[in-house]
Amino acid sequence: MTTRLRVLDDGAWISVDDHREVRVSELWRLDTDEFCGCDLADLVVENFQTVGVDGSTVEVRVYGQCIACGASGTTGWIPVGRIRDGSFAAIDRSAIRRPRPETNQ
Amino acid sequence: MPTDVENWKSEVYGSEIRDHLFEFAERGFDSIPDDERDAWFERFKWWGLYHQRNGQEGYFMMRIGTPNGVLEPGQLRVVGEIADEYARGPGTNPIFGDAYADFTTRQSIQLHWIELSDVPAIFEKLEANGLSTQQACGDSWRNIVGNPVAGKDAQEVIDAWPVIRDLNETFKGNDDHSNLPRKWKVSVTGSADGSGQGDINDLAFEPAYKEVDGEDVVGFNVRVGGGLSRNEPRLARDIDVWVSPERVSDVAGGLSALFRDNGDREDRYNARIKFLVDEWGAERVRETLQEEYVDFDLHTAGRDVREEYTYNTGAGERNDLIGIHDQKDGTNFVGLNVLVGRMGAEDVLELADVAEEYGSGEVRLSQRQNVIVTDVPDDAIDDLLDEPILEHYSPSPSPFMRGSVACTGTEYCSLSIVETKNRQVRYARWLKENVELPDDVDQFHIHLSGCTASCAQPQIADVSLRGMKTRKDGEPVEALDVGLGGGLGAEPQFARWVTQRVPADEVPGAIANLIDTFAAEREEGESFRAFVARHDDDELDAFVDPEETDYDDPMMHNTKRTWYPYAEDDSLDSAPPAPADD
């Protein structure tokens, strides 16, 4: 069974099987030293750039800004949820997210 | 690889969407197959329907494209009646009530809470009265903008209204130009005030003189590739072409086709023609246009009148079209301030009455979200000014009221990060009561955009505000980035973003402190824009100085996590179901 994943409306949200599941304007905590120098980036999600999957994990690349230090740019692949039994289950918005290390790009 | 949107467009797009839209309207919202919703909502945009944000499932924003902002006699009443009957939803706005119309920065009209089942009846009424939503959104020719008083303005160089009408008739519903890589925004201006704001459009025609066969002829210079969105603002580039009014359609069609054939259809973020002009350069755009898309020799650019531009320049006369102005036929046009462009349906109907009583019944919309009553004889001016509705929609408003522009914001928009329209109303009211501008400064433009899409055109204001977040006392709150010193004119300049992430409740204090410093330290007669230009970013950041005041902001939380920010029970879990098909 395939899952349809899309970035729509100028990067405003992620569609999973034609349902709006993940939206901009949230603050995400990122555990990465690749986006900015903060121990824990406090990222405003401004635009979704791309969406993909790694196994059952739905991932996105996001344009945003760390409100702790002001660094802005596009992130690596960040998990936003999982597909379980054909349904999307979002990661809790307060979770600390770790971008997947780039391996083949 | 083409995007999903391109694949959907290749299957069904353009005029043919209408039959499907009406079928869904007839059979009900739920008749849209679950696995086709993204595709159909994308296509509906071509007919001016934009699905509102999550929490408002099944409701649509409807955009009516009014070329050059012209509403012919009777049309404003139609808009008011449709807003009153159909633009009512489950949410009530505490400032604007239950039914209203939004006048946009591209001289269009937006209505909210439109139900799919009502679309055929609305279209029937619009079209019976010469109005349309066709191509108001989507990847094609959008509403053509310009100086709204074209054909009437005593100051105009050339009447652009016949040109705009011709372009509108030629490129609306034109299958060769209905599926472009992305939106296509065109401005045609015939006045010397710059009020068409061509610099920020994909394609701009600006008045210019050219010697042709020994005679000085008035026509248009052509610029391509302007736009403000996505942190990538561009001014339209001069492609060294002058065109006569009779040839505008050929050149516009050629450039639209050039964009259709060469724009990026694999990456929507790179699709606007501004990026193609970046890549090619203006010279190659001109060469390609000449060699492949027009069958006559292009003239080189003529003598423009950009030195005379005043609109949105931050100095001089006519920074907007508010107030009483001469028409070339001896009557007057009267520009009225519509704060943040939103007008209640009852007021729309009342204004339609007033326009009929004192003018011709015609009304026009400006790119500063204001409304203009045209054709008012001298002897009717005093009585018009005495009309009660002009107390609220004033021809001589406070600088903070007339300078306010705001986008839709999180009330309805998926992309916005913060609440905008009501916030800008609160800001303007507070600034009016609490801040004094120097006596010789009667205009001060503050534009509030909820995100980087820049629908409020924040980069071309004295004070630019853009939605952001920050933490205050550890809690996430809505915030704004502050930019200064933007404006158009002979030397257009985008705002410099000098202060980031100001909590929204500290912005009025920040603007008050900024204006205090400006008033104290400006040189004699210096405009705010010139004042900004002679200071560096660090100095300006210090002038902004955010501060809490008695301004109270009730929307500091994440308004996007509500189904409607002003609902008593605003949680997404309490969102109303999609409207029943009655």
Side-chain angles (χ1 to χ4, degrees):
Chain A
M1 187 175 175
T2 59
T3 300
R4 299 180 301 280
L5 300 171
R6 299 179 183 116
V7 176
L8 287 174
D9 288 354
D10 293 340
W13 45 282
I14 300 297
S15 169
V16 181
D17 286 338
D18 288 72
H19 290 278
R20 299 190 273 200
E21 296 288 1
V22 190
R23 60 180 176 273
V24 296
S25 86
E26 296 290 349
L27 280 172
W28 289 354
R29 297 281 195 180
L30 292 192
D31 183 3
T32 175
D33 54 9
E34 292 178 356
F35 186 79
C36 65
C38 296
D39 289 341
L40 211 52
D42 205 357
L43 182 83
V44 182
V45 180
E46 294 186 69
N47 274 116
F48 296 107
Q49 304 291 300
T50 50
V51 60
V53 287
D54 179 33
S56 63
T57 303
V58 178
E59 304 174 315
V60 296
R61 298 178 82 120
V62 166
Y63 180 88
Q65 183 177 130
C66 172
I67 62 170
C69 70
S72 62
T74 301
T75 67
W77 288 103
I78 302 173
V80 292
R82 288 197 173 78
I83 304 294
R84 286 184 186 143
D85 301 327
S87 297
F88 177 77
I91 289 176
D92 187 277
R93 64 168 64 93
S94 63
I96 294 173
R97 298 159 198 253
R98 291 181 183 81
R100 174 166 57 87
E102 300 283 347
T103 54
N104 56 359
Q105 292 182 34
Chain B
M1 193 171 72
T3 61
D4 282 338
V5 173
E6 282 299 326
N7 288 330
W8 297 331
K9 285 159 60 182
S10 69
E11 292 165 5
V12 178
Y13 208 57
S15 302
E16 62 181 328
I17 297 166
R18 183 186 175 105
D19 290 342
H20 298 272
L21 176 62
F22 276 34
E23 196 177 323
F24 289 130
E26 171 72 25
R27 290 163 51 204
F29 181 78
D30 288 339
S31 68
I32 305 172
D34 277 348
D35 60 353
E36 297 179 14
R37 294 199 166 195
D38 288 351
W40 286 112
F41 294 158
E42 189 64 39
R43 293 175 179 133
F44 289 170
K45 293 174 186 173
W46 201 90
W47 279 101
L49 290 163
Y50 213 108
H51 197 202
Q52 290 180 188
R53 71 170 174 87
N54 65 329
Q56 301 167 5
E57 305 296 325
Y59 291 100
F60 292 83
M61 179 275 283
M62 174 181 281
R63 185 179 295 156
I64 303 164
T66 42
N68 205 41
V70 175
L71 285 150
E72 292 168 356
Q75 290 183 333
L76 184 67
R77 180 178 313 286
V78 171
V79 170
E81 288 172 355
I82 290 173
D84 193 39
E85 183 171 357
Y86 298 106
R88 292 177 183 274
T92 297
N93 185 296
I95 294 175
F96 296 100
D98 284 322
Y100 37 81
D102 287 351
F103 304 142
T104 77
T105 52
R106 295 200 80 257
Q107 296 170 274
S108 296
I109 299 162
Q110 292 183 176
L111 308 176
H112 293 96
W113 298 121
I114 299 297
E115 299 180 18
L116 194 57
S117 57
D118 290 330
V119 168
I122 296 173
F123 278 16
E124 186 179 356
K125 181 159 182 165
L126 287 171
E127 289 162 7
N129 291 279
L131 292 163
S132 174
T133 64
Q134 188 182 37
Q135 291 167 247
C137 312
D139 293 346
S140 64
W141 278 68
R142 297 294 190 86
N143 192 45
I144 301 167
V145 300
N147 169 7
V149 281
K152 300 182 183 269
D153 189 357
Q155 294 187 20
E156 76 184 359
V157 177
I158 181 173
D159 179 3
W161 179 225
V163 176
I164 292 169
R165 260 195 327 227
D166 178 50
L167 290 177
N168 189 62
E169 285 165 13
T170 303
F171 294 105
K172 285 291 168 81
N174 182 326
D175 287 345
D176 289 339
H177 301 267
S178 65
N179 178 1
L180 302 179
R182 202 68 175 75
K183 62 181 81 170
W184 180 248
K185 295 179 173 178
V186 177
S187 168
V188 185
T189 314
S191 63
D193 64 359
S195 56
Q197 302 199 133
D199 277 327
I200 58 170
N201 281 265
D202 295 302
L203 171 60
F205 292 93
E206 301 187 300
Y209 298 91
K210 183 75 179 176
E211 190 176 311
V212 179
D213 299 331
E215 281 188 34
D216 223 16
V217 182
V218 188
F220 302 91
N221 280 351
V222 183
R223 288 176 183 245
V224 182
L228 300 176
S229 64
R230 301 192 62 78
N231 280 323
E232 298 272 8
R234 298 284 190 283
L235 295 165
R237 270 59 61 90
D238 179 359
I239 63 164
D240 191 24
V241 170
W242 177 92
V243 61
S244 68
E246 296 75 27
R247 295 278 202 192
V248 166
S249 185
D250 295 321
V251 169
L255 286 162
S256 171
L258 181 155
F259 176 51
R260 177 196 63 209
D261 299 343
N262 294 281
D264 188 344
R265 290 184 186 263
E266 298 191 352
D267 179 359
R268 291 182 66 76
Y269 294 147
N270 194 49
R272 292 288 292 275
I273 198 170
K274 63 184 177 185
F275 298 116
L276 186 65
V277 180
D278 287 356
E279 184 186 333
W280 280 15
E283 198 172 326
R284 182 175 168 194
V285 172
R286 189 190 199 284
E287 286 170 5
T288 307
L289 173 66
Q290 177 68 81
E291 289 168 13
E292 300 179 29
Y293 292 98
V294 293
D295 56 7
F296 55 89
D297 287 340
L298 295 167
H299 291 285
T300 56
R303 175 168 51 84
D304 65 39
V305 294
R306 289 173 65 89
E307 288 294 330
E308 297 177 44
Y309 285 7
T310 56
Y311 194 83
N312 221 352
T313 60
E317 300 295 317
R318 259 210 195 190
N319 262 268
D320 59 24
L321 296 167
I322 297 290
I324 302 163
H325 301 265
D326 294 337
Q327 288 188 193
K328 61 172 80 169
D329 65 358
T331 63
N332 305 273
F333 67 86
V334 182
L336 305 177
N337 179 223
V338 183
L339 185 55
V340 301
R342 181 166 287 180
M343 184 178 271
E346 286 182 16
D347 291 348
V348 172
L349 293 168
E350 192 177 334
L351 183 67
D353 289 340
V354 165
E356 275 176 19
E357 185 170 351
Y358 300 101
S360 61
E362 182 192 76
V363 157
R364 298 190 176 195
L365 309 176
S366 80
Q367 292 185 51
R368 297 197 54 75
Q369 301 182 322
N370 294 316
V371 67
I372 299 164
V373 177
T374 59
D375 309 321
V376 183
D378 287 343
D379 61 8
I381 288 285
D382 287 344
D383 288 341
L384 170 62
L385 297 182
D386 286 340
E387 281 289 331
I389 195 170
L390 267 67
E391 289 175 19
H392 190 66
Y393 303 100
S394 173
S396 55
S398 149
F400 296 116
M401 304 301 236
R402 78 190 287 172
S404 288
V405 170
C407 69
T408 298
T410 53
E411 185 177 8
Y412 300 113
C413 175
S414 292
L415 199 50
S416 184
I417 296 174
V418 298
E419 186 219 28
T420 54
K421 278 204 191 290
N422 286 28
R423 174 168 281 141
Q424 183 74 355
V425 170
R426 297 193 299 271
Y427 283 177
R429 288 175 176 169
W430 188 90
L431 292 166
K432 180 184 172 187
E433 291 302 314
N434 293 281
V435 178
E436 287 283 333
L437 282 162
D439 288 342
D440 61 327
V441 177
D442 63 358
Q443 297 226 21
F444 195 81
H445 293 179
I446 303 174
H447 295 193
L448 170 53
S449 219
C451 71
T452 58
S454 302
C455 298
Q457 304 172 345
Q459 297 96 330
I460 56 168
D462 292 311
V463 173
S464 316
L465 303 174
R466 188 172 63 194
M468 212 352 101
K469 299 274 183 188
T470 192
R471 287 186 190 272
K472 187 163 180 170
D473 304 323
E475 292 298 315
V477 295
E478 294 200 348
L480 299 170
D481 286 344
V482 180
L484 301 177
L488 296 178
E491 300 293 336
Q493 170 75 45
F494 294 132
R496 291 146 59 194
W497 295 100
V498 300
T499 306
Q500 272 75 42
R501 301 180 300 284
V502 179
D505 60 343
E506 298 180 26
V507 168
I511 295 173
N513 290 333
L514 172 67
I515 290 174
D516 279 351
T517 304
F518 165 59
E521 299 189 9
R522 68 193 287 242
E523 294 170 357
E524 178 80 21
E526 189 177 37
S527 71
F528 181 77
R529 187 173 166 192
F531 174 80
V532 170
R534 69 177 171 86
H535 289 91
D536 66 30
D537 289 2
D538 289 341
E539 291 170 321
L540 294 169
D541 181 29
F543 296 162
V544 171
D545 193 15
E547 182 182 9
E548 286 187 2
T549 60
D550 63 354
Y551 168 82
D552 182 46
D553 199 308
M555 293 287 144
M556 294 297 284
H557 57 297
N558 187 337
T559 51
K560 207 62 170 290
R561 277 192 204 159
T562 67
W563 72 267
Y564 187 66
Y566 314 114
E568 195 168 332
D569 180 359
D570 65 1
S571 75
L572 277 166
D573 293 339
S574 301
D581 307 312
D582 48 18

